[in-house]
C-alpha cells in the first residue's frame, strides 16, 4: 500500500529496493528535518521534471529542478541549507512527457 511505501521510503533502504510498478514516486528523508533533507524520486518514463517546494500559502519558496529532461529511473537530490521558517511545506514533483503530465505531492516538515 502507499502507506507502507512511505514508511519504507523514510528508512535507509535504497529507493530502488522499495519502488516498483512504474509509478511516479517522491519522498524525502529525514522528515521532519532541520537543515538538509534528501528527496528521492522515481520516474516511470522519460520527460521534463520539475520539483518545487511551496509554503502553506502556495508560494514557491525553492525550485530543485526546473523542466529538466531526465530518463526513467531512480534519483536523489540533497537540498543545500534550507533557510526557511519552521513549518509545513508541500513538495511537488511534476513529470511532463509527450502524452501526459503526472504530479505527486508530499508534505515536508522543517524545524529549527
Amino acid at each position: 500500500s502507499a502507506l507502507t511505501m512511505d514508511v519504507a521510503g523514510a528508512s535507509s533502504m535504497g529507493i530502488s529496493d522499495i519502488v516498483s510498478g512504474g509509478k511516479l514516486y517522491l519522498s524525502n528523508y529525514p522528515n521532519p528535518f532541520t537543515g538538509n533533507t534528501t528527496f528521492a524520486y522515481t520516474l516511470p518514463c522519460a520527460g521534463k521534471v520539475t520539483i518545487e517546494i511551496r509554503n502553506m500559502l502556495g508560494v514557491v519558496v525553492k525550485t530543485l529542478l526546473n523542466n529538466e529532461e531526465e530518463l526513467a529511473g531512480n534519483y536523489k537530490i540533497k537540498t543545500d541549507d534550507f533557510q526557511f521558517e519552521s513549518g509545513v511545506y508541500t513538495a511537488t514533483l511534476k513529470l511532463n512527457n509527450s502524452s501526459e503530465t503526472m504530479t505527486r505531492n508530499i508534505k515536508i516538515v522543517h524545524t529549527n
Side-chain angles (χ1 to χ4, degrees):
S1 73
L3 180 61
T4 306
M5 262 180 40
D6 288 343
V7 170
S11 77
S12 60
M13 291 171 56
I15 191 76
S16 59
D17 295 338
I18 57 164
V19 175
S20 61
K23 292 187 173 148
L24 189 67
Y25 179 79
L26 175 67
S27 68
N28 76 298
Y29 57 90
N31 191 15
F33 64 99
T34 41
N36 301 309
T37 188
T38 299
F39 290 89
Y41 61 101
T42 298
L43 306 177
C45 58
K48 294 187 186 303
V49 179
T50 300
I51 299 178
E52 294 174 330
I53 300 172
R54 295 175 189 270
N55 65 19
M56 292 310 289
L57 299 175
V59 176
V60 175
V61 295
K62 189 170 188 68
T63 301
L64 300 177
L65 290 175
N66 186 13
N67 222 27
E68 299 287 331
E69 192 73 50
E70 291 191 339
L71 299 174
N74 301 311
Y75 296 87
K76 289 182 182 173
I77 298 177
K78 183 174 181 180
T79 62
D80 46 17
D81 204 18
F82 201 87
Q83 298 285 338
F84 303 110
E85 296 176 15
S86 294
V88 177
Y89 295 82
T90 302
T92 302
L93 167 62
K94 184 166 81 170
L95 173 63
N96 190 346
N97 66 20
S98 57
S99 61
E100 63 181 330
T101 299
M102 293 177 271
T103 304
R104 166 107 178 155
N105 294 305
I106 60 168
K107 296 278 187 239
I108 63 174
V109 180
H110 179 245
T111 58
N112 284 333

